[in-house]
Amino acid sequence: MDVSAAARWSPGLYRTARQRGSGNIPRLGLAAGPVVAPPDGYLAPEALAALPPKTTVLTTDRMLPDEVTAEEAPALVRTERHSVVVTDTASTTGGPGPGPQTSPLQTRQRILSEAALRLLDGGQPLVVRLPDDWSSGTPVDAEEFFLGLDVPWLHLTTVASVTQGKRTRLDPDDLRYPDDEAAAELDAANFAAARSLADAGSLLQSVLPANRTVAGEVRDEALTTVSYASREEPNGSRVAAERSRGVLTHELGKVTVDPPSSVTLSSESGPFTATVTNGLDQRVKVKLVARTDGRLDVTASPVVELGPGELASVEMTARSSVLGLHDVDLFVANADGRPIGGTATFPLRAAQVSNVIWVVFAVGGVLLFGAIAVRTFRRVRGWLAGRGAAA
């Protein structure tokens, strides 16, 4: 990862890369610790300050101020929070001509020469970091390269042992970080594209109950978008990440929802049914969530599991105390309720018909029985009046 740029644009993605970097190494029986070692040896001072204190850092001696290198060419520098292992640049520039200057033979002889000078100057360790594009050649060449370093006065050791040695105190602000290095850093767009791609991979895996690897695979691809190698073609790396995210988004969109044509609530709440279809070739686990205008509440559906090509009817409940027509947006979501892509909209009318009917019944009943009572009273009164006249 371009750590200098990550400290500026996405510290969270750096933590993801660091966690990924320590993933399977212990399973192989190898002892390992986190190391930040930029390929060109330059690390922004701001990035150094943002690293966890126990992180081993390798930088080039070109970052050191002239007065420090002139005094002792230290192998270990201590800042406020970090121990920085300083690699010797000259030792990997190869030997004199004729012939390839960085051949195994020339490189080995240059390392031995620089180590001898260190020994004569007081014994400061020489830390050599071979260039990433350097090759020791054939297996025979490689064997000869390391056999040639087996001399009585040279003791090969580890970076970890160097970090326990003599330290030179240095203010981080004194470290050199050239303007062209800062200009070469990846910008915010690459980190945004990497985060979006990794997020799409996690979202896809969240709906695939039988898949436990796709999120990690997509995350690994996303991290290449913010690698030092992407500095050469930052736009190409970003476009590739965006294209990959588009593919995942398209796949998620194959899980669709068909809403009812319309719904009318005859009371304050009521159920309705929508259909979910799995257009993927893998089993999915999803539910439906709704978004409304705020005057209507729709409860999320239960989680349903669908095989490839299957569909299912899902029941949801709507509630509203506000009469009128509402637009309801349905989303296919994962089990946590996060929409994954499939959407649909339908109208829902809150009429509360039953309340109106009961009011009508009540008023009608009062009128009916009132009219019966009046007519009965009049008839009785007329009958009584007739008997009185006859008497």
Side-chain angles (χ1 to χ4, degrees):
M1 170 174 281
D2 187 343
V3 178
S4 295
R8 185 189 309 275
W9 302 116
S10 187
L13 204 57
Y14 164 73
R15 289 190 291 270
T16 298
R18 179 173 173 136
Q19 182 180 10
R20 175 66 182 89
S22 61
N24 294 323
I25 293 178
R27 301 178 186 176
L28 301 176
L30 300 175
V35 176
V36 172
D40 57 7
Y42 286 99
L43 184 67
E46 298 83 359
L48 177 62
L51 296 177
K54 294 184 179 181
T55 304
T56 300
V57 181
L58 271 67
T59 64
T60 175
D61 53 7
R62 293 176 180 175
M63 291 192 67
L64 300 179
D66 291 336
E67 59 271 17
V68 174
T69 53
E71 289 178 1
E72 55 183 339
L76 185 65
V77 168
R78 179 65 187 176
T79 65
E80 294 178 358
R81 302 177 67 238
H82 300 88
S83 293
V84 180
V85 178
V86 182
T87 62
D88 184 80
T89 305
S91 62
T92 58
T93 57
Q101 290 183 278
T102 57
S103 68
L105 175 61
Q106 298 277 48
T107 300
R108 185 191 68 198
Q109 295 306 109
R110 183 59 183 268
I111 291 174
L112 290 172
S113 299
E114 296 295 334
L117 292 175
R118 289 290 182 104
L119 183 62
L120 294 175
D121 288 340
Q124 273 286 316
L126 175 72
V127 182
V128 177
R129 184 185 176 194
L130 295 169
D132 292 346
D133 58 354
W134 184 83
S135 173
S136 60
T138 67
V140 174
D141 293 336
E143 184 178 8
E144 290 181 352
F145 174 81
F146 286 102
L147 287 175
L149 295 175
D150 186 14
V151 294
W153 54 269
L154 182 64
H155 172 63
L156 298 180
T157 186
T158 64
V159 171
S161 66
V162 175
T163 61
Q164 304 302 316
K166 178 183 176 182
R167 294 176 172 86
T168 300
R169 299 291 301 185
L170 188 66
D171 190 318
D173 293 336
D174 292 336
L175 293 173
R176 293 173 173 173
Y177 192 64
D179 292 340
D180 58 346
E181 285 293 326
E185 292 178 11
L186 295 171
D187 60 20
N190 277 61
F191 285 88
R195 289 193 300 268
S196 296
L197 177 55
D199 186 61
S202 298
L203 188 59
L204 177 59
Q205 182 172 301
S206 70
V207 301
L208 303 177
N211 192 307
R212 292 292 180 268
T213 62
V214 65
E217 293 168 357
V218 174
R219 176 203 58 206
D220 290 350
E221 179 183 346
L223 289 175
T224 66
T225 309
V226 290
S227 67
Y228 281 100
S230 292
R231 284 185 174 188
E232 298 180 4
E233 290 289 342
N235 291 334
S237 297
R238 175 180 51 78
V239 169
E242 291 172 349
R243 187 181 298 117
S244 297
R245 180 180 57 81
V247 171
L248 297 184
T249 301
H250 176 72
E251 291 299 303
L252 286 167
K254 291 181 180 180
V255 186
T256 60
V257 54
D258 293 319
S261 56
S262 64
V263 175
T264 299
L265 294 182
S266 59
S267 61
E268 187 172 323
S269 65
F272 65 89
T273 301
T275 302
V276 181
T277 303
N278 177 20
L280 293 174
D281 58 2
Q282 297 189 47
R283 180 170 293 275
V284 298
K285 198 173 184 179
V286 297
K287 68 179 180 180
L288 296 181
V289 296
R291 183 169 60 200
T292 67
D293 55 13
R295 300 177 299 163
L296 177 73
D297 291 328
V298 179
T299 58
S301 76
V303 175
V304 295
E305 192 165 331
L306 304 172
E310 288 186 354
L311 57 85
S313 295
V314 179
E315 185 174 286
M316 305 178 73
T317 301
R319 178 183 298 274
S320 178
S321 58
V322 181
L323 300 179
L325 189 65
H326 308 271
D327 286 331
V328 179
D329 297 322
L330 287 183
F331 297 86
V332 182
N334 64 6
D336 295 328
R338 183 180 174 190
I340 66 171
T343 64
T345 302
F346 71 95
L348 186 147
R349 182 178 296 278
Q352 298 187 22
V353 175
S354 61
N355 291 338
V356 176
I357 289 176
W358 283 115
V359 171
V360 172
F361 282 172
V363 173
V366 170
L367 294 176
L368 175 62
F369 289 108
I372 292 174
V374 169
R375 290 175 63 88
T376 301
F377 172 76
R378 288 177 176 177
R379 286 185 178 183
V380 171
R381 187 178 62 177
W383 179 76
L384 293 175
R387 288 192 60 182

